[in-house]
Amino acid sequence: MELKTKIHAEDNKQEIIITRTFDLPLELLFKAYEEPELVAQWMGTKVLQLENRQHGSWRYETAHEGKVVFAANGVILEFVPDQRITRTFQMENSNFPVQLEFLEFESLSPASSRLRMQIIFKSVAFRDQLLQMPFAAGLSMAHDRLQDVLTLNNK
Amino acid sequence: MNLRRDVFQAIADPTRRAILTLVATQAMTAGAIAANFDTARPTVSKHIQILSECELLQAAQNGREIYYHLNPEKMKEIADFIAPFAKLWDDRFNTLEAIMNNYKNKK
C-alpha cells in the first residue's frame, strides 16, 4: 500500500524532505503543531515547553513506564501561523548534532492541506544514520524474535 | 575458489540474516558474532566470509582485531532502507489526522 507520507533523501545530501497531504483544513493541521495539548496527543510525548514565537524555545520528553526514553529540545526561529515554523531540533543525551527544520504548511482545498518538512543535518553521515535508525531497530526486533524462537526450541 | 557471490543468495540463509541483524547496530569481531550461535565457529566464519564477499559486511582492522559492520550501501540493494523511516512518520501523521478530525467534530 502506498503511504501518504513521502520521503525524499537524495544520495550525498545533508537533508531529508518529508511531505504529507492531510484530509484536514490548513487551520486544523497548523493547530496540531501549535497547541501543546494536541502536540502531546499525536506525538505521544509530554510537552514541557512550547513558546510559539521568534526566539521562543520548546522541549518534549517521552517516558515509558516512568523512565524517560526520549527527550528533545530546540529554539523556534520563525513562527508564522498557518504558513511556517522554522526551528532547531536536538536530541538530549545523544551525540547527534542539532538539526535545522523548516516546516511549510499549505492549503490545498477547504478540506485538505499539505505539510512539507525539510530537515538539514550537520553531515551526510548523520543524515544517513538517522534515516537508517528505524531500519536497524526493525532488524534488531526481528532478531529478538528469532532469539525467542531459538530459546524456546532449545528448552 | 573465490566466486563472486550474489547478494540474494547470501541472505537466503537464516544464520546469515541473523548475523546481519547482529552487526546492524554495532561492529563486532568474528568471535563475538560466533558467540551468538550454537553452530561451530568455522561454520560461522564461512558465513561471515560469504557476507563479506558480497560486500554486505565490511571489515575494519582495529589493532589486532577485525571488526565487521553492516555495509548500508549494499543493503540498499536488498531492502528499502527508507521504508521503515517513512512508515514511522506515516503512522505519526495518521495519528495527527485522526486526533484533529476528532477535535474538529467535538467543536
Side-chain angles (χ1 to χ4, degrees):
Chain A
M1 202 190 82
E2 192 151 333
L3 298 182
K4 288 167 90 180
T5 306
K6 301 276 169 261
I7 309 290
H8 183 77
E10 253 174 73
D11 277 351
N12 299 315
K13 283 191 88 169
Q14 284 165 252
E15 64 172 25
I16 298 174
I17 296 167
I18 302 170
T19 44
R20 160 82 183 213
T21 303
F22 292 88
D23 293 324
L24 291 170
L26 172 66
E27 296 70 29
L28 273 181
L29 171 60
F30 195 84
K31 208 177 255 297
Y33 275 87
E34 190 176 23
E35 299 281 336
E37 315 84 74
L38 293 169
V39 173
Q41 279 184 50
W42 72 265
M43 292 274 298
T45 189
K46 207 188 271 182
V47 177
L48 302 177
Q49 182 150 310
L50 182 57
E51 298 171 319
N52 292 319
R53 55 173 171 85
Q54 198 178 22
H55 305 154
S57 67
W58 64 269
R59 186 157 184 257
Y60 301 162
E61 192 180 82
T62 312
H64 183 68
E65 289 170 357
K67 232 181 84 191
V68 174
V69 288
F70 175 83
N73 68 72
V75 175
I76 292 160
L77 304 166
E78 214 181 0
F79 187 87
V80 185
D82 299 337
Q83 287 182 37
R84 64 181 174 273
I85 300 171
T86 308
R87 65 186 183 194
T88 61
F89 173 100
Q90 183 148 37
M91 273 185 261
E92 294 176 16
N93 305 313
S94 142
N95 59 357
F96 241 85
V98 65
Q99 296 160 208
L100 181 58
E101 300 184 340
F102 295 89
L103 283 76
E104 291 168 81
F105 303 81
E106 187 191 351
S107 176
L108 298 177
S109 79
S112 65
S113 52
R114 182 167 53 211
L115 169 65
R116 181 184 188 271
M117 192 173 172
Q118 183 183 12
I119 310 176
I120 319 269
F121 296 82
K122 191 179 183 200
S123 70
V124 175
F126 279 117
R127 198 266 326 240
D128 288 349
Q129 198 184 333
L130 190 94
L131 265 182
Q132 289 166 16
M133 263 182 199
F135 182 85
L139 275 179
S140 306
M141 274 189 278
H143 183 253
D144 289 345
R145 280 197 296 273
L146 185 71
Q147 292 278 66
D148 292 343
V149 173
L150 290 176
T151 317
L152 278 176
N153 287 346
N154 287 341
K155 274 184 183 159
Chain B
M1 196 169 71
N2 197 357
L3 290 173
R4 206 183 120 69
R5 309 266 181 177
D6 179 56
V7 175
F8 291 93
Q9 187 196 329
I11 57 156
D13 181 89
T15 306
R16 290 199 285 268
R17 283 203 300 275
I19 292 174
L20 292 176
T21 64
L22 276 175
V23 297
T25 44
Q26 56 177 340
M28 294 171 86
T29 62
I33 295 171
N36 285 275
F37 299 95
D38 291 334
T39 346
R41 172 76 190 262
T43 314
V44 175
S45 299
K46 186 74 194 162
H47 285 311
I48 292 174
Q49 188 196 330
I50 291 167
L51 290 169
S52 301
E53 279 172 13
C54 67
E55 296 167 9
L56 283 169
L57 282 188
Q58 274 175 338
Q61 186 95 33
N62 186 348
R64 285 184 177 185
E65 307 264 41
I66 295 171
Y67 282 84
Y68 292 92
H69 62 96
L70 197 64
N71 177 5
E73 287 308 309
K74 202 67 185 180
M75 285 297 283
K76 278 182 190 162
E77 291 180 16
I78 54 165
D80 184 355
F81 246 115
I82 294 178
F85 182 84
K87 181 79 172 56
L88 182 96
W89 278 92
D90 201 55
D91 288 348
R92 205 175 271 174
F93 286 145
N94 286 341
T95 308
L96 184 159
E97 204 167 56
I99 284 171
M100 293 315 287
N101 266 315
N102 192 26
Y103 177 86
K104 176 180 65 184
N105 295 336
K106 266 196 285 187
K107 289 253 141 169

